[in-house]
Amino acid sequence: MKQLLVLLIFSTHSFLALSQKLTVTDLTCDYKINPIGIGTLNSGFSWKIASKERNVIQKAYQLRVATDQADLKRGKNLIWDSGKVNTDQSTHISFPVSDTKSGQRYFWQVKVWDNKGNASAWSKVNFWETGLNKSDWSAKWIEANQVTDGKVVPVPMFFKAFKISSPIKSARLYITAHGLYEAKLNGAKVSNHLLTPGWTSYENRLQYQVYDVTEMLKQGSNSTVVSVGDGWYRGNLQWTNKRNFFGKEPGLLYQLEITHNDGTKQVIVSDNSWRSSFDSPIRSSDIYNGETFDSRLDKTILSDESIKNWQPVRVVNYSMDNIVAQEGPPVIKHEEFKPVKFITTPKGEKVIDFGQNLVGWVQLKVKGKSGDTIKIYHAEVLDSSGNFYTENLRSAKQENIYVLNGMSQVLEPHFTFQGFRFIKIVGQAEKMDTENFTAVAIYSDMQPTGDFTSSHSLLNQLQHNIQWGQKGNFVDIPTDCPQRDERLGWTGDAQVFFNTAAYNMNVASFFTKWLQDVKADQYADGRIPAVIPVTQKRANDGSAGWADVGTIIPWNFYEAYGDKSLLSRQYESMKKWVDYISSVSKNNLWNNGSHYGDWLFYTMADDRDGKAALTDKHLIAQAFYAASTQNVINAANILGRTEDVSKYTALLSDVKDAFNKEYVTPSGRLVSSSQTAYVLALYFDLLPESSRKQAAVRLVENIKSYKDHITTGFLGTPYICHVLTRYGYTDVAYKLLMQETYPSWLYPVKKGATTIWERWDGIKPDGSFQATSMNSFNHYAYGAIGDWMYRTIGGIAQSKPGYKQISIAPQPGGGLTSAAADLETLYGKLSSSWKLDGNRMSLEVEVPPNTTAKVVLPKSASAEVTESGTTLSKVKDITVNSGPDKDIELTLGSGTYEFEYTISSR
Ligand code: BGC
């Protein structure tokens, strides 16, 4: 016994010692922690390793999977045991078993070995659970008996009461709708997910959600009510005042699977036994226009008695081919804001300022007389006289109306959202106070991964604005704007912002989902619609810089996350787009078609000097033809498609030749003398090596001729500072970034912006507004500068996809005395933080385990670089590579480091 005790103490002790040295954390499947409702595992298993030592690399892993947690821990009845696999791969391990059982929970854990001779303990157990296979759906689509024919009606509700006769072990609800649904079981909402089932290319892909509702059911009588609002499916969409883009009738598909303790199953499905009613408190509901809620009609509906006047439902036979498991993150509530100011405007309007332009709604806490009405209107800005300004919303009403029921109430809308910083209140609410109002931000639930800060407060506000532009426009799909009658998945906007977005937040599953819609909506000829999910055919479907989303995001996604499976899922679509361009090109020149061009580039009101920064649209098209071809080559290389590599490499050379013949003079001048023309030609390496330096000089001269102002539109903006840095003009890039007068990034900040504006001058220097037809104050495209701020100021970038190899090369400038950037990579935290005191530079970096980093210090750094106070040459495990004319390159492994050095001049 004593012996056993000693052994036990010893083994617990040694177990702890081992696990302290090396542990496995953050287990994810398809980027998610313990997901339920997985269709197929595409991106696979990833984990992080933690160790206090430096230079830690995984040498091997072992992963095991079982359907029973106890079995897993004992290593018994395993579905899959990888065995010890000697590899440093700790991300995107694929699951080789193609078991297709519905609703199956798989438990998994992993252990790792490192290069220091340590072995971790088995990780904690995580799981994923499969969704419902097509063949296991027994639910039928149901619609209200009374046909709406696409008209505006109160939100229909669907009801079913049912009995559960034996003890419940577990229960899952599989559900989707034509419209947006809110489901309740026994009077309580089944989840905090909003705007479900989300927006996809509905005809091709309609997502269903899965909820664990075990705790919401009871033995005996139960009931369920589901409301289905218009949403994107049949509500107003785009500025055409048209409805019913995807269908006319609201409908429900519902399957509740209850597993009893004895293993038997009971399944409650939508069918003709349900009842429905339009007698809903939600009298109308529309994404753009808002909601009218009469709380006097808000009754508890729990049993057949409460639905006496309800109608039977119609069972409708829709194909189930489009039903897919949810891939993206759910939209949920996030930050809350309290009023910062109550204002009575010159016009006498009662207005509340929440201090932040955000997307979501205002939650009201009220007690009033039954029948009293409160109206809330939403606006992004006040006009120059201080009045409530909604003209830039175009036809979107953004109006929420509540009728009170005489009791204490908390009111908020269900199937709509608003873009606003200010609200105007009409009715009873005029007398109310701070505690009555809370603005709630809603957006897709993406993990924040990165931040950028510096010694410059306007720059910090710019970063804040970029992040809020992302939050407000990542509401299930990436939109251009969240407030006016648009809010569409504009492809150009999404592709220019992708890199910045992937620093700020983990956008992997958000974009995985949307890219499936890009693919689904791609036309048979290869064109990609300008808006995804597509709402209508447009002449500009296939516009350069917009349709190129089909190659740009998949490739940039691969660089950010190192996920081959995503690349292979998109590969055919990538090729199809480039093949389309080839099919309409003549002599390798894409000089036809309708294009948006360098959207919203700088123009002057009185342009007698020819200073408008116009770039030939076909020059732009040719540049993106090359860019997309390059992306296909990159993908083909990764996927081992050698024939495609040769084919598209030959094409790329022809495309570049055609560019040079058509758009470049013999002395290397571009036919469009604009910043965007030079930026695209240089960023995509279109010019012969010999003329690149000269072209960069021309770009710099152009910038000087605008007194250090940026003149690019959507397509030139993401690349301009990168190009300047690549050709040695980081100082000029800083001048653009630090510019405070129009046009510049900081001009809106100086004007009080809390998000990124659609235009460089949404509010003009004289205080008046830009054209009401297009003047959003929450459009993320120009926020694409964030990518340069992280990469060049903070200095963090991937040099091998997914940050397996990292580059840390901060370039101070612009008068900054400090800056810091960090990013939670799939391997762990990467950060770079520098401070400049005169010429004395200190740089702290953190490199995550299982990665290596190259840290680049300027060649002007004196030989006396120290790390944590020790001369570099004496620090083991850091390889120093330098030469008289070269920057100093340090190769190092995981851990934290503090460098200090002197730089001669900046
Ligand atoms: C949108 C843009 C979009 C553009 C196409 C606008 O209405 O708001 O951001 O990319 O149309 O040119």
Side-chain angles (χ1 to χ4, degrees), residues 147-210:
V147 174
T148 70
D149 201 24
K151 302 228 168 55
V152 178
V153 288
V155 164
M157 301 180 292
F158 298 89
F159 177 85
K160 165 94 184 163
F162 55 95
K163 286 215 161 42
I164 301 178
S165 43
S166 53
I168 305 157
K169 183 175 168 222
S170 69
R172 295 287 180 274
L173 172 61
Y174 304 89
I175 179 172
T176 187
H178 286 157
L180 300 176
Y181 70 82
E182 185 186 278
K184 289 182 177 174
L185 272 171
N186 296 324
K189 282 191 211 168
V190 299
S191 100
N192 61 351
H193 298 181
L194 304 166
L195 306 173
T196 44
W199 193 7
T200 44
S201 162
Y202 292 134
E203 285 121 70
N204 301 298
R205 297 172 9 89
L206 174 60
Q207 298 187 136
Y208 68 91
Q209 282 75 38
V210 187

Side-chain angles (χ1 to χ4, degrees), residues 95-108:
F95 181 49
V97 180
S98 52
D99 188 310
T100 54
K101 204 161 165 253
S102 289
Q104 178 66 59
R105 183 168 287 203
Y106 293 96
F107 298 92
W108 67 290

Side-chain angles (χ1 to χ4, degrees), residues 571-583:
Y571 185 66
E572 288 308 316
S573 152
M574 296 172 80
K575 278 205 312 188
K576 237 166 103 179
W577 166 237
V578 170
D579 292 347
Y580 167 78
I581 308 177
S582 299
S583 76

Side-chain angles (χ1 to χ4, degrees), residues 831-900:
S831 73
S832 154
S833 162
W834 56 261
K835 282 200 181 68
L836 199 55
D837 186 3
N839 279 349
R840 199 68 192 149
M841 176 86 171
S842 66
L843 170 66
E844 287 180 23
V845 305
E846 181 171 352
V847 178
N850 205 20
T851 68
T852 54
K854 199 156 265 175
V855 177
V856 183
L857 310 180
K859 57 174 176 266
S860 59
S862 71
E864 277 306 293
V865 180
T866 59
E867 193 285 302
S868 299
T870 310
T871 313
L872 259 193
S873 52
K874 295 196 181 130
V875 184
K876 68 172 177 55
D877 293 333
I878 295 183
T879 315
V880 185
N881 192 351
S882 61
D885 264 339
K886 278 172 65 186
D887 285 336
I888 304 168
E889 276 185 13
L890 315 176
T891 307
L892 42 90
S894 63
T896 50
Y897 303 82
E898 285 178 41
F899 299 104
E900 281 209 28

Side-chain angles (χ1 to χ4, degrees), residues 452 454-459 462 708 721 731-741 744-747 750 788 793 813-818:
F452 169 87
S454 73
S455 54
H456 195 279
S457 61
L458 297 180
L459 214 52
L462 175 65
D708 300 325
C721 288
D731 56 330
V732 181
Y734 267 113
K735 277 186 187 155
L736 288 181
L737 180 63
M738 295 304 196
Q739 182 58 256
E740 294 179 15
T741 55
S744 69
W745 284 284
L746 294 186
Y747 168 75
K750 292 278 276 191
W788 187 81
I793 307 180
L816 298 180
T817 52
S818 70

